[in-house]
Coordinates of all heavy atoms in Angstrom, one line a residue:
N1 N -14.4 140.1 199.4 CA -14.3 141.2 200.3 C -13.1 141.1 201.2 O -13.1 141.8 202.3 CB -15.6 141.2 201.2 CG -16.8 141.5 200.4 OD1 -16.7 142.4 199.4 ND2 -17.9 140.9 200.7
R2 N -12.0 140.4 200.8 CA -10.8 140.4 201.6 C -9.7 140.9 200.7 O -9.5 140.5 199.5 CB -10.5 138.9 202.1 CG -11.4 138.5 203.1 CD -11.0 137.1 203.7 NE -11.9 136.7 204.8 CZ -11.7 137.0 206.0 NH1 -10.7 137.8 206.4 NH2 -12.5 136.6 207.0
W3 N -8.9 141.9 201.2 CA -7.8 142.4 200.6 C -6.6 141.4 200.6 O -6.5 140.6 201.6 CB -7.4 143.7 201.2 CG -8.4 144.8 201.0 CD1 -9.4 145.1 201.9 CD2 -8.6 145.7 199.9 NE1 -10.2 146.1 201.4 CE2 -9.7 146.5 200.2 CE3 -7.9 145.8 198.7 CZ2 -10.2 147.4 199.3 CZ3 -8.4 146.8 197.8 CH2 -9.5 147.5 198.1
R4 N -5.8 141.4 199.6 CA -4.7 140.4 199.5 C -3.4 141.1 199.2 O -3.2 141.9 198.3 CB -5.0 139.4 198.4 CG -6.4 138.8 198.5 CD -6.8 138.0 197.3 NE -6.1 136.7 197.2 CZ -5.3 136.4 196.2 NH1 -5.1 137.2 195.2 NH2 -4.8 135.1 196.2
Q5 N -2.4 140.9 200.1 CA -1.0 141.3 199.9 C -0.2 140.1 199.6 O -0.4 139.0 200.2 CB -0.5 142.0 201.1 CG -1.1 143.4 201.3 CD -0.4 144.5 200.5 OE1 0.8 144.5 200.4 NE2 -1.2 145.3 199.8
Q6 N 0.8 140.2 198.7 CA 1.6 139.1 198.3 C 3.1 139.3 198.6 O 3.6 140.3 198.4 CB 1.4 138.8 196.8 CG 2.2 137.7 196.2 CD 1.9 137.5 194.7 OE1 2.2 138.4 193.9 NE2 1.4 136.4 194.3
I7 N 3.7 138.1 199.0 CA 5.2 138.1 199.1 C 5.6 136.8 198.4 O 5.2 135.7 198.7 CB 5.6 138.0 200.6 CG1 4.9 139.2 201.4 CG2 7.1 138.1 200.7 CD1 5.1 139.0 202.9
L8 N 6.6 137.0 197.5 CA 7.2 135.9 196.8 C 8.6 135.7 197.4 O 9.4 136.6 197.5 CB 7.3 136.1 195.3 CG 5.9 136.2 194.6 CD1 6.2 136.5 193.1 CD2 5.2 134.9 194.7
V9 N 8.9 134.4 197.8 CA 10.2 134.1 198.4 C 10.8 132.9 197.6 O 10.1 132.0 197.4 CB 10.1 133.7 199.9 CG1 11.4 133.7 200.5 CG2 9.2 134.6 200.6
R10 N 12.1 133.1 197.2 CA 12.7 132.0 196.4 C 14.2 131.9 196.7 O 14.8 132.9 197.1 CB 12.4 132.2 194.9 CG 12.8 133.5 194.3 CD 12.3 133.7 192.9 NE 12.8 134.8 192.2 CZ 12.4 136.1 192.3 NH1 11.3 136.3 193.1 NH2 12.9 137.1 191.6
T11 N 14.6 130.7 196.5 CA 16.1 130.4 196.7 C 16.3 129.0 196.0 O 15.4 128.3 195.6 CB 16.5 130.4 198.2 OG1 17.9 130.3 198.3 CG2 15.9 129.2 198.9
A12 N 17.6 128.7 196.0 CA 18.0 127.5 195.3 C 17.6 126.2 196.0 O 17.2 125.2 195.4 CB 19.5 127.4 195.0
G13 N 17.6 126.3 197.3 CA 17.3 125.1 198.2 C 15.9 125.1 198.8 O 15.6 126.0 199.5
R14 N 15.1 124.2 198.4 CA 13.7 124.1 198.9 C 13.7 123.9 200.4 O 12.9 124.5 201.1 CB 12.9 123.0 198.2 CG 11.5 122.9 198.7 CD 10.7 121.9 197.9 NE 10.4 122.3 196.5 CZ 11.2 121.9 195.5 NH1 12.2 121.1 195.6 NH2 10.8 122.4 194.3
R15 N 14.5 123.1 200.9 CA 14.5 122.8 202.4 C 14.8 124.0 203.2 O 14.1 124.4 204.1 CB 15.5 121.7 202.7 CG 15.5 121.3 204.2 CD 16.5 120.2 204.5 NE 16.6 119.9 205.9 CZ 17.3 118.9 206.4 NH1 18.0 118.1 205.6 NH2 17.3 118.6 207.7
R16 N 15.9 124.8 202.8 CA 16.2 126.0 203.5 C 15.1 127.0 203.4 O 14.8 127.7 204.3 CB 17.5 126.6 202.9 CG 17.9 128.0 203.4 CD 19.1 128.5 202.7 NE 20.2 127.7 202.9 CZ 21.4 127.9 202.3 NH1 21.5 128.8 201.3 NH2 22.5 127.2 202.6
L17 N 14.4 127.1 202.2 CA 13.4 128.0 202.0 C 12.2 127.7 202.9 O 11.7 128.6 203.6 CB 12.9 128.0 200.5 CG 11.7 128.8 200.1 CD1 12.0 130.3 200.4 CD2 11.3 128.6 198.6
V18 N 11.8 126.5 203.0 CA 10.6 126.1 203.8 C 10.9 126.3 205.3 O 10.1 126.8 206.0 CB 10.2 124.6 203.6 CG1 9.2 124.2 204.5 CG2 9.7 124.5 202.1
E19 N 12.2 126.0 205.7 CA 12.5 126.2 207.1 C 12.5 127.7 207.4 O 12.1 128.1 208.5 CB 14.0 125.6 207.3 CG 13.9 124.1 207.3 CD 15.3 123.5 207.5 OE1 16.3 124.3 207.4 OE2 15.5 122.3 207.7
S20 N 13.0 128.5 206.6 CA 13.0 130.0 206.8 C 11.6 130.6 206.9 O 11.3 131.4 207.8 CB 13.8 130.7 205.7 OG 15.2 130.3 205.7
V21 N 10.7 130.1 206.1 CA 9.3 130.5 206.1 C 8.7 130.1 207.4 O 8.0 130.8 208.1 CB 8.6 130.0 204.9 CG1 7.1 130.2 205.1 CG2 9.1 130.7 203.6
D22 N 9.0 128.8 207.8 CA 8.4 128.3 209.1 C 8.9 129.2 210.2 O 8.1 129.5 211.2 CB 8.8 126.9 209.3 CG 8.0 125.9 208.4 OD1 7.0 126.3 207.9 OD2 8.5 124.8 208.2
R23 N 10.2 129.5 210.3 CA 10.7 130.3 211.4 C 10.1 131.7 211.4 O 9.7 132.3 212.4 CB 12.2 130.4 211.3 CG 12.9 129.1 211.6 CD 14.4 129.4 211.9 NE 15.1 130.0 210.7 CZ 15.7 129.2 209.8 NH1 15.7 127.9 209.8 NH2 16.3 129.8 208.8
A24 N 9.8 132.3 210.2 CA 9.2 133.6 210.1 C 7.8 133.6 210.6 O 7.3 134.5 211.3 CB 9.3 134.1 208.7

């Protein structure tokens, strides 16, 4: 009973990706 919206985020560097997600 919960609706789900998805966002996929990707880039070459895992550290940069995780840091950007944390800031968002």
Side-chain angles (χ1 to χ4, degrees):
N1 295 321
R2 290 187 178 273
W3 296 94
R4 305 168 79 240
Q5 287 279 312
Q6 182 180 58
I7 306 169
L8 293 176
V9 192
R10 55 193 189 275
T11 191
R14 181 175 287 101
R15 180 176 179 180
R16 174 185 294 173
L17 175 59
V18 172
E19 289 175 350
S20 297
V21 170
D22 284 342
R23 289 196 300 268

